[in-house]
Structures are given as structure tokens and as C-alpha cells.
């Protein structure tokens, strides 16, 4: 008899840190446990480091008697981000990066300095030309990464000067 199935959900989208613990009793001899519908069996009743998904649990004893259950490991929504940038002008620090993001859990925070500092605002101004490592983080610490490129709009250039008749 399966007396309990305890599930620990994945901490972030796409991670493999979920787990399933199966408590079973009865039967004859040593029990074996499977979470993939009997394809493979283990002698241990804890399955760690598994991704989100649906699992078909089977417990069998030494007489091949089976009991079944199911479990679902869930994961939070994926954080999806898109970046856009406004160019800096004439080598000045007047460019900007705008981050649009959705998903995750709770309030999202934003960084354009590889996560050194996070802000609630998704718009960053006063930036010079360059590539910025963007990170979006949710309330549980899950992250998504991107790159935003701020270009430089060159100012006028004097290429040739002629001086005639100067005294």
C-alpha cells in the first residue's frame, strides 16, 4: 500500500530540482520504486533532481505485486524578456535600455549590470554606447538573461579644411 507521496516542486522554470518521496508498506520482501511507469525500479523511495512533469508511480514487492499512484511536479512560469535600446548620441551617456518582461512569480526586478544591482524600473537611462548584460529576477530569485546593445550616433565630422586668404 502506498501510504503517502510527497512532492517538492521545481524552484524555477526549466530546473531539475524537484523531488518525489514515496512511502509504502506491506507486501512481501523488499520494495522497489518506479516513477516512470515501471520502466526502471530503484530500491530507494526518494527521487531527487527531477524536472517538472507528470509521473506514474509503481511500487512492487518481491512477488511482483504492484500498487500505483501518480504525482505532478510543477514549475513557476518562465520569465520571458525582450529588450530595446535608444542610441547614445555623439559619444554621450544619453542612451537607454527598455526591458519588457513577463512571467515568473511576484514582482520582477531588472538589472543592466550583470546583476550587480536590481531595480523595480525596467527603463535605464544615461547609458553610453555598449552591450549591457540584462537580468530579470522574480520574487523567488529565478532569472532570465539577455543582452541589450546601445549604439552610438556619431556627430558631425570635419574631414577637410581649406584656409585661403587668412591674414
Amino acid at each position: 500500500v502506498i501510504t503517502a507521496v510527497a512532492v517538492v516542486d521545481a524552484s524555477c522554470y526549466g530546473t531539475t530540482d524537484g523531488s518525489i518521496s514515496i512511502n509504502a508498506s506491506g507486501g512481501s520482501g523488499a520494495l522497489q520504486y518506479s516513477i516512470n511507469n515501471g520502466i526502471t525500479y530503484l530500491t530507494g523511495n526518494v527521487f531527487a533532481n527531477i524536472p517538472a512533469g507528470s509521473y506514474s508511480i509503481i511500487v512492487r514487492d518481491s512477488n511482483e505485486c504492484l500498487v500505483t499512484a501518480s504525482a505532478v511536479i510543477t514549475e513557476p512560469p518562465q520569465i520571458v524578456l525582450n529588450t530595446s535600446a535608444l542610441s547614445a548620441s555623439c559619444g554621450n551617456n544619453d542612451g537607454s535600455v527598455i526591458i519588457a518582461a513577463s512571467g515568473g512569480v511576484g514582482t520582477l526586478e531588472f538589472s543592466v549590470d550583470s546583476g550587480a544591482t536590481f531595480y523595480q524600473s525596467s527603463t535605464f537611462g544615461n547609458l553610453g554606447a555598449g552591450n549591457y548584460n540584462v537580468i530579470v529576477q522574480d520574487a523567488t530569485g529565478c532569472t532570465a538573461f539577455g543582452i541589450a546593445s546601445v549604439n552610438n550616433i556619431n556627430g558631425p565630422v570635419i574631414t577637410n579644411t581649406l584656409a585661403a586668404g587668412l591674414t
Side-chain angles (χ1 to χ4, degrees), residues 7 11 19 27 54 59 65-66 77 80 85 94 99 117 122 135 158 166:
V7 171
S11 62
S19 68
S54 298
V59 179
C65 294
L66 308 175
V80 178
D94 58 356
I99 306 165
T117 52
S122 61
I135 301 176
I158 298 173
L166 296 175

Side-chain angles (χ1 to χ4, degrees), residues 81-87 95-100 112 122-124 127 132 134 147-151:
L81 71 91
N82 290 299
T83 61
S84 59
L86 298 175
S87 296
S96 62
V97 168
I98 299 99
I99 306 165
V112 293
S122 61
T123 301
F124 295 84
L127 301 176
Y132 292 87
V134 173
I147 295 178
S149 296
V150 174
N151 296 317

Side-chain angles (χ1 to χ4, degrees), residues 1-3 24-31 59-62:
V1 173
I2 296 175
T3 57
S25 62
S28 179
L31 300 177
V59 179
R60 74 177 178 191
D61 68 7
S62 59

Side-chain angles (χ1 to χ4, degrees), residues 48-146:
N49 301 317
I50 52 179
S54 298
Y55 294 88
S56 298
I57 298 168
I58 299 176
V59 179
R60 74 177 178 191
D61 68 7
S62 59
N63 291 326
E64 297 292 321
C65 294
L66 308 175
V67 290
T68 63
S70 63
V72 175
I73 292 178
T74 63
E75 62 189 347
Q78 180 179 14
I79 299 171
V80 178
L81 71 91
N82 290 299
T83 61
S84 59
L86 298 175
S87 296
S89 62
C90 304
N92 293 315
N93 291 337
D94 58 356
S96 62
V97 168
I98 299 99
I99 306 165
S102 62
V105 176
T107 302
L108 298 177
E109 293 185 324
F110 307 89
S111 173
V112 293
D113 59 7
S114 301
T117 52
F118 283 92
Y119 301 93
Q120 290 185 340
S121 174
S122 61
T123 301
F124 295 84
N126 301 317
L127 301 176
N131 292 325
Y132 292 87
N133 293 314
V134 173
I135 301 176
V136 177
Q137 176 176 276
D138 72 6
T140 64
C142 297
T143 54
F145 303 89

